[in-house]
Amino acid sequence: MAGRIPEKFIDDLLARIDIVDVIQERVPLKKSGRDWSARCPFHDERSASFTVSPAKQFYHCFGCGEHGSAIGFLMKYDRLEFPDAIEELANRAGLKVPYEGGREAPREDASDLYIVLDAAAGYFRRQLADNDAARTYFAQRGLDDSVLARFNLGYAPEGWDGLKNALGTSAARIALLEKAGLLTHGEKGGKYDRFRDRVMFPILDRRGRTIAFGGRVLVKDDGPKYLNSPETPLFHKGRELFGLWQVREAHSKIPRLIVVEGYMDVISLHQFGVAQAVATLGTATTRDHAEILFRQCADVYFCFDGDRAGRQAAWRAVESVLPRMRDGRQAMFLFLPDGEDPDSVIRKEGLAGFEQRLKDATTLSAFFFHELGKDVNLASLDGKARLAERARPLLTQIPDGAFRDLMLAELDKTTGVRMQVAAVAESPSPRRTSAQPPSLVRSAVGLLVQSPSLATAIEPPWTFAVLRLPGIALLIELIGLCRARPDITTGSLIEHFGEREEAKALRKLAIMEFPGGMDEARTEFLDATAQLERQTRNQRLDDLCRQQEESALSDDEKQELRSLLVAKGMGV
């Protein structure tokens, strides 16, 4: 698991980066009062409902609801993972990202690993030019020079130490080659090339950097037909997709993704004009894969052989995507004839034939109910009960929304069993800190979200922490957070609460209009907290009066009661 990036560093980074500059490089912005506006890059619209606030370092679309800091924008627009977005902004600011424990490789090693892997890709590419058998293999598969270059395909020569001799110029370099998965060692400890006499497929990360390789033998021998790099500090096959970088390079906005099983399937589809194909790397579709796929686009097609193994692989994909099926997302399943793969189908039927197969693909819902019910007699009550019980644990994984409701309705229609799965596993349970606190608390929270520096206007202890009001716990947490992190902006504050249930309410408060400037905001915040202090004293007064009626007060409590009564009489 990757190490944690300190929140203090993230605050400092966001304080140095101007979100307007980051977004303006990708989306044309126009000045609109204190803020900037544009047509939203995340949904189709005619009017400019997308706003960027330099004061809050926060963007928000009033049309589709997209929002966030510069980090969130890069994750959404450039389709980066969180650490990669941080790295991108850090490079821009000339900073080095610190990681707190747990990271597979120290940051110092990562850059060297990227360099040696890139050098290996160059070496394999040069070897391809000198090997007739490898060039013939690619030619027979119908690949032209542009596709060879787009995927940087290469060849690992025969022999045990070609790459090692070319790149292992020192003991440190040999150690790096081994760490990158390019060398392996025998029983006697000797190191030699992992890939030998294979055509080579570089695997790139979502920033276009070489992180691993896949190799295919030219002549079948005792070794595996396909060989992938082992797990390394940079490469985790359950989280990577071959071809995704090329898809992103081909599209400013990816219309769909087609998940296939092999390197050549991806490359052939790209050559024939289907430039949305990616492949898992010798593993079943994982939940990480599903999350990455849906971050790129809303429509994902899974393409498998029509045999038993293909349907089993499809079912594993179903299990992985169900927890990611938020409203607006679609998963489709295309099953090919026995003995065929995407490479062979598109060569026989061409682009039009393959596109027609995609149009006829099976929906997730249809495949789901067909697979669960294929050995069930739905004419019997027992069969209907069995289908309902099979479906229950899977349907509870679907996020709340229209798709889940429709799946439940379909199950009800098929079995007559009305299922209650309101408490979805991934849905947080209600908390006492309501998303809609009373107006006074809501006002204080909103002012703090928009101007975090206001937290320094009040000194501890904050006696209103004991108020029995919804939202008080959140207000106290926000005050502590903003004081502990004085550089925090609205954008990074929202980022901090991103995975929590309070995030939705905080996002609404972040765009709420408060009249006046900073002086007015400070006055309103101090007035709100002063009123909360008075409510706290009144609550304590009520508690003591109630206690006095039920039992005797101690001397200290009697003195406290007298003081509170005097203060209330004086209007304090």
Side-chain angles (χ1 to χ4, degrees):
M1 180 178 289
R4 181 176 175 272
I5 301 173
E7 290 182 331
K8 179 68 176 68
F9 174 80
I10 296 173
D11 290 344
D12 183 44
L13 176 63
L14 290 175
R16 293 172 183 241
I17 295 293
D18 187 347
I19 191 173
V20 174
D21 293 339
V22 173
I23 295 179
Q24 185 127 34
E25 289 176 359
R26 296 158 174 82
V27 178
L29 298 175
K30 290 184 179 180
K31 196 79 169 68
S32 178
R34 291 179 297 179
D35 298 333
W36 297 75
S37 65
R39 291 172 60 183
C40 181
F42 304 125
H43 80 287
D44 295 328
E45 64 173 0
R46 295 182 179 179
S47 59
S49 60
F50 181 84
T51 64
V52 184
S53 170
K56 301 173 187 174
Q57 290 295 297
F58 183 74
Y59 74 89
H60 180 82
C61 176
F62 290 91
C64 68
E66 286 294 338
H67 58 271
S69 66
I71 298 168
F73 182 83
L74 287 182
M75 290 175 66
K76 180 73 177 178
Y77 190 87
D78 286 0
R79 297 182 284 271
L80 298 179
E81 299 296 316
F82 180 78
D84 290 333
I86 297 286
E87 290 281 358
E88 188 80 16
L89 292 175
N91 288 338
R92 183 188 185 100
L95 299 175
K96 191 172 186 176
V97 181
Y99 290 88
E100 295 179 341
R103 188 173 177 86
E104 295 92 337
R107 205 62 207 166
E108 294 79 7
D109 285 353
S111 58
D112 292 337
L113 284 173
Y114 288 124
I115 289 170
V116 80
L117 284 158
D118 185 62
Y123 170 80
F124 294 139
R125 181 77 171 141
R126 291 190 297 274
Q127 294 301 311
L128 176 63
D130 296 331
N131 188 274
D132 291 338
R135 290 201 315 276
T136 299
Y137 171 80
F138 286 132
Q140 289 174 343
R141 303 301 293 261
L143 304 186
D144 59 31
D145 289 342
S146 66
V147 171
L148 292 177
R150 188 188 315 167
F151 287 88
N152 200 27
L153 303 182
Y155 171 70
E158 288 185 278
W160 296 90
D161 52 12
L163 178 70
K164 177 184 170 185
N165 289 339
L167 302 183
T169 53
S170 65
R173 187 80 164 182
I174 288 175
L176 268 177
L177 287 169
E178 186 174 18
K179 194 171 187 178
L182 294 166
L183 299 183
T184 188
H185 54 82
E187 294 179 0
K188 296 182 179 179
K191 296 179 175 64
Y192 56 88
D193 292 356
R194 178 179 299 275
F195 298 100
R196 303 178 305 281
D197 194 21
R198 292 174 180 268
V199 287
M200 298 297 290
F201 304 88
I203 299 165
L204 310 183
D205 67 8
R206 283 172 289 285
R207 294 174 65 183
R209 300 171 297 189
T210 304
I211 56 173
F213 293 91
R216 185 195 188 281
V217 294
L218 290 176
V219 179
K220 181 62 177 153
D221 56 15
D222 293 334
K225 182 178 180 181
Y226 281 97
L227 179 66
N228 287 333
S229 292
E231 298 273 313
T232 72
L234 301 183
F235 176 57
H236 307 279
K237 63 183 179 180
R239 300 204 298 261
E240 301 296 339
L241 293 162
F242 177 73
L244 183 56
W245 169 255
Q246 287 80 3
V247 173
R248 292 175 56 183
E249 284 288 280
H251 302 278
S252 57
K253 183 178 181 181
I254 300 173
R256 66 187 179 187
L257 281 171
I258 303 163
V259 184
V260 296
E261 295 185 272
Y263 299 114
M264 283 306 305
D265 293 325
V266 170
I267 295 170
S268 291
L269 289 175
H270 278 252
Q271 170 139 327
F272 276 84
V274 186
Q276 305 94 37
V278 298
T280 55
L281 299 164
T283 182
T285 305
T286 66
R287 291 195 177 191
D288 284 336
H289 286 143
E291 183 62 31
I292 293 165
L293 288 164
F294 281 123
R295 277 188 182 177
Q296 315 304 311
C297 67
D299 295 342
V300 178
Y301 291 75
F302 293 92
C303 184
F304 296 104
D305 295 344
D307 58 12
R308 181 178 179 181
R311 289 190 169 266
Q312 287 177 340
W315 185 252
R316 287 194 290 270
V318 168
E319 293 174 325
S320 296
V321 302
L322 280 177
R324 305 289 183 264
M325 288 300 294
R326 301 185 184 94
D327 286 350
R329 294 177 171 182
Q330 280 195 121
M332 309 287 286
F333 292 84
L334 170 58
F335 296 101
L336 301 178
D338 288 348
E340 300 284 4
D341 56 30
D343 179 27
S344 64
V345 167
I346 200 162
R347 292 180 189 284
K348 292 177 181 177
E349 301 178 4
L351 177 59
F354 193 81
E355 288 286 354
Q356 185 58 52
R357 287 185 178 273
L358 289 173
K359 289 179 182 178
D360 297 335
T362 304
T363 63
L364 168 59
S365 57
F367 180 59
F368 178 89
F369 286 110
H370 177 269
E371 285 298 296
L372 285 185
K374 63 185 178 183
D375 60 349
V376 171
N377 178 14
L378 291 176
S380 70
L381 292 178
D382 291 348
K384 291 178 179 181
R386 178 177 293 182
L387 177 59
E389 284 306 306
R390 287 179 177 178
R392 186 189 303 274
L394 296 165
L395 294 181
T396 58
Q397 298 178 39
I398 303 174
D400 191 21
F403 179 69
R404 189 185 70 162
D405 292 344
L406 290 169
M407 290 289 279
L408 290 171
E410 181 64 22
L411 182 65
D412 183 20
K413 176 183 172 183
T414 304
T415 66
V417 178
R418 185 174 296 278
M419 290 182 61
Q420 299 295 324
V421 289
V424 181
E426 294 198 354
S427 297
S429 58
R431 292 165 57 106
R432 291 200 302 160
T433 51
S434 168
Q436 295 181 342
S439 59
L440 188 62
V441 180
R442 186 179 180 84
S443 175
V445 169
L447 287 163
L448 205 51
V449 168
Q450 296 203 15
S451 303
S453 62
L454 289 176
T456 60
I458 56 173
E459 293 295 328
W462 306 299
T463 59
F464 54 81
V466 300
L467 265 177
R468 295 186 291 272
L469 287 177
I472 284 292
L474 176 59
L475 175 59
I476 294 298
E477 182 180 357
L478 281 170
I479 293 171
L481 175 67
C482 294
R483 288 175 67 89
R485 296 163 60 180
D487 294 328
I488 197 168
T489 62
T490 300
S492 53
L493 189 150
I494 298 296
E495 206 82 57
H496 175 83
F497 284 89
E499 299 302 319
R500 289 174 51 176
E501 64 177 293
E502 297 96 332
K504 185 176 180 180
L506 293 177
R507 288 194 294 268
K508 289 180 179 178
L509 293 171
I511 59 174
M512 191 168 72
E513 289 294 332
F514 285 101
M518 192 62 190
D519 289 343
E520 289 80 3
R522 179 185 174 87
T523 300
E524 188 171 346
F525 181 71
L526 289 174
D527 181 61
T529 54
Q531 289 188 58
L532 291 173
E533 296 281 7
R534 284 195 290 274
Q535 288 189 24
T536 304
R537 290 194 291 272
N538 289 336
Q539 177 180 281
R540 179 59 177 162
L541 178 60
D542 291 342
D543 289 345
L544 288 172
C545 289
R546 191 178 302 109
Q547 183 179 338
Q548 187 178 43
E549 293 174 0
E550 297 172 355
S551 61
L553 297 177
S554 67
D555 290 342
D556 288 343
E557 288 171 337
K558 289 176 181 177
Q559 180 58 44
E560 183 184 2
L561 177 58
R562 283 193 290 269
S563 298
L564 289 170
L565 287 168
V566 170
K568 186 171 185 179
M570 297 175 62
V572 178

